[in-house]
Every structure is written in C-alpha cells, then in structure tokens.
C-alpha cells in the first residue's frame, strides 16, 4: 500500500516537471514570432506606397501650361488705321517719254503719297500737280476716275465710299496732241453751285486715280495710293524739309496744297 502511494507521488512529480519544460520553449517561440511579424509586414507596405505614388506624379501638369481655351479668344478690333485697302488696284508703272516720243503711258507725276490736313482747312485742300502720258490725239483732254476709302474703327477695316466725282485734265491743241496732259487740281470737298457740299470728316482716307487710253486695245492706268489724314486740329511742324527739288534739279510739282 505504501509502495503504491509512492509510485503515484513520483509519477505526479514527473508529470509536473515535464509540463514546465514543455510550456517554457512554447512561450519563447510565441514571443519570437510576435516580434518578427511586424518587421516582415512593413516591407510590403512600403513597396505598395511607392508603387501607388509613381503614377500620380506622372499626371501632374506644368505650372506654366496654357489653357486650351486661350487660342479661341478673338483678337480685338483695331481702332487705329493699319495697312492699305485690299481691293485697291495695283499702281501702274510711271509713264515717261524721250524726245517727245511716248515710250510708256501712265502717270508721269503721281499724287502726293501722304498728307495731313486740319478739318478747318479741308474746304481748301486739293490734289495738284498730277500729269499723265497718253497716246497721240488727246487734245480735248482725258477723264480721270477717282476711288476713295475711309478707315472704319468699329469694323477695323477699310471701307470704300460711294462713287466719287471724276477729275479731268486740261486740254491743249499742241501739248495735248502729243500726249502730255496735266490733271486739274482735285478738291477734297465738292462745292456745287446748287445743293449741299460734300463733307470730308475727321479721319483717315486713301485716294486712287485712274484713266483709260486707247481705242481698240484700251488699257487702264492706275496711280499710286494717296493717304490723306484729316485731323481735328492743326499738327504743329517739328521740322522743315528744305529739299524742294528733284534729284535731277527740276522743281517738285506733285504737291498737295491748301
């Protein structure tokens, strides 16, 4: 009886000692697995963050990028005259002669290219000094057609005015028969005997003169464009041009007079 009790006690002691040895290493392994788990999971998280940030950086636009709607904004209409009338005729080469033999017809003396005139003086403004060369047999003179354009600030372009009155040349039994014809002075403002005169308001204008010559093969000759600016007030002169003669010593005669 006593021996059986000893065996029971010894077996219980052995069981208790064995369980303590088994539980110790299990706790150590659990602790090691707990500390190693966060280290292993941190690496994938970092890689995932880096992969998601790369496509976002490629979608960014430069700070100075121009919006696509900027090219659709219409340009502002210019209020200042620019360019020349697009539907004007091309000027014909100047006519000239040699020893009273006509070698080329046209304007031998052109209208002045540009001139400024105050509105208060526009009634006295005129084109003077133009001459033409024609075929023989024009003793009774020639009819000169006139075109005029004005700058429309609201539309930003040149507008051709209604038909202008014609100019004419003088006639000469001697010189006219040889084709040398002077164009009579052309007033900007028309002053009819009866009716209201034509007004030329403040603004910028272009004039062009032309004539036709020939019977069977008639040809039209066009002058250069002449710009006239009518100002509200006189423009004071800042310089004086003393060059009153042409290069060959002859007196300049294509003048714009008031």
């Amino acid at each position: 009886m006593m021996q059986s009790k000893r065996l029971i006690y010894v077996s219980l002691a052995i069981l208790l000692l064995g369980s303590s040895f088994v539980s110790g290493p299990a706790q150590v392994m659990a602790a090691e697995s707990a500390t190693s788990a966060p280290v292993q999971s941190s690496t994938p998280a970092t890689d995932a963050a880096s992969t998601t940030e790369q496509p976002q950086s490629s979608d960014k636009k430069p700070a100075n990028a121009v919006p696509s709607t900027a090219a659709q904004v219409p340009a502002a209409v210019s209020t200042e005259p620019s360019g020349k009338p697009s539907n004007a005729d091309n000027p014909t080469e100047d006519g000239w002669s040699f020893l009273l033999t006509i070698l080329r017809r046209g304007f031998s003396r052109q209208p002045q290219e540009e001139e400024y005139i105050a509105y208060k003086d526009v009634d006295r403004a005129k084109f003077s000094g133009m001459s033409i060369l024609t075929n023989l047999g024009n003793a009774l003179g020639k009819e000169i057609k006139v075109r005029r354009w004005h700058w429309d600030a609201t539309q930003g372009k040149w507008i051709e005015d209604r038909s202008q009155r014609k100019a004419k040349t003088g006639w000469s039994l001697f010189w006219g028969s040889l084709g040398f014809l002077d164009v009579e002075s052309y007033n900007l403002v028309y002053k009819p005997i009866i009716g209201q005169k034509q007004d030329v308001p403040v603004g910028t204008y272009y004039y062009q003169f032309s004539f036709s010559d020939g019977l069977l093969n008639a040809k039209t000759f066009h002058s250069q464009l002449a710009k006239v600016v009518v100002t509200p007030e006189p423009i004071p002169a800042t310089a004086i041009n003393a060059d009153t003669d042409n290069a060959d010593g002859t007196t300049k005669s294509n003048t714009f007079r008031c």
Side-chain angles (χ1 to χ4, degrees), residues 79-237:
T79 58
E80 295 296 327
S82 61
K84 295 181 179 180
S86 59
N87 61 336
D89 294 298
N90 293 325
T92 310
E93 289 184 344
D94 293 352
W96 60 284
S97 64
F98 178 70
L99 296 178
L100 304 182
T101 302
I102 305 303
L103 299 180
R104 185 169 61 212
R105 294 171 290 169
F107 283 83
S108 57
R109 286 181 291 184
Q110 297 275 357
Q112 184 159 325
E113 189 173 356
E114 184 172 347
E115 188 63 38
Y116 293 80
I117 183 71
Y119 179 72
K120 69 182 185 66
D121 299 325
V122 75
D123 286 358
R124 298 182 288 113
K126 63 182 69 175
F127 287 96
S128 297
M130 288 184 289
S131 296
I132 63 174
L133 291 175
T134 70
N135 279 326
L136 301 180
N138 292 297
L140 298 180
K142 277 286 183 180
E143 187 178 68
I144 307 295
K145 295 182 179 179
V146 183
R147 299 177 70 186
R148 186 183 78 178
W149 296 262
H150 75 275
W151 177 260
D152 190 326
T154 58
Q155 301 183 53
K157 63 180 182 179
W158 294 100
I159 303 296
E160 185 170 3
D161 296 323
R162 65 181 186 275
S163 299
Q164 303 298 301
R165 72 185 188 283
K166 296 179 176 64
K168 59 182 180 179
T169 65
W171 65 274
S172 170
L173 182 62
F174 177 70
W175 288 107
S177 62
L178 292 175
F180 295 86
L181 296 174
D182 290 330
V183 181
E184 293 183 356
S185 295
Y186 184 82
N187 294 74
L188 265 64
V189 175
Y190 179 49
K191 302 176 182 178
I193 299 176
I194 301 174
Q196 187 178 3
K197 71 176 183 179
Q198 175 191 7
D199 190 24
V200 181
V202 172
T204 304
Y205 303 85
Y206 268 108
Y207 287 81
Q208 188 172 41
F209 302 84
S210 65
F211 70 94
S212 296
D213 191 43
L215 296 176
L216 298 177
N217 296 320
K219 182 179 179 180
T220 302
F221 301 89
H222 306 280
S223 73
Q224 67 185 14
L225 285 170
K227 181 179 180 181
V228 176
V229 181
V230 180
T231 61
E233 299 293 337
I235 299 177

Side-chain angles (χ1 to χ4, degrees), residues 13-31:
I14 293 171
L15 289 173
L16 290 174
L17 290 174
S19 62
S20 62
F21 284 117
V22 172
S23 62
Q27 292 177 357
V28 173
M29 291 178 61

Side-chain angles (χ1 to χ4, degrees), residues 42-84:
S42 62
T43 302
T46 304
D47 295 339
S50 61
T51 54
T52 55
E53 288 177 359
Q54 290 178 355
Q56 291 178 0
S57 61
S58 62
D59 294 336
K60 291 182 179 180
K61 295 181 179 180
N64 57 351
V66 179
S68 58
T69 56
Q72 301 175 1
V73 178
V77 177
S78 174
T79 58
E80 295 296 327
S82 61
K84 295 181 179 180

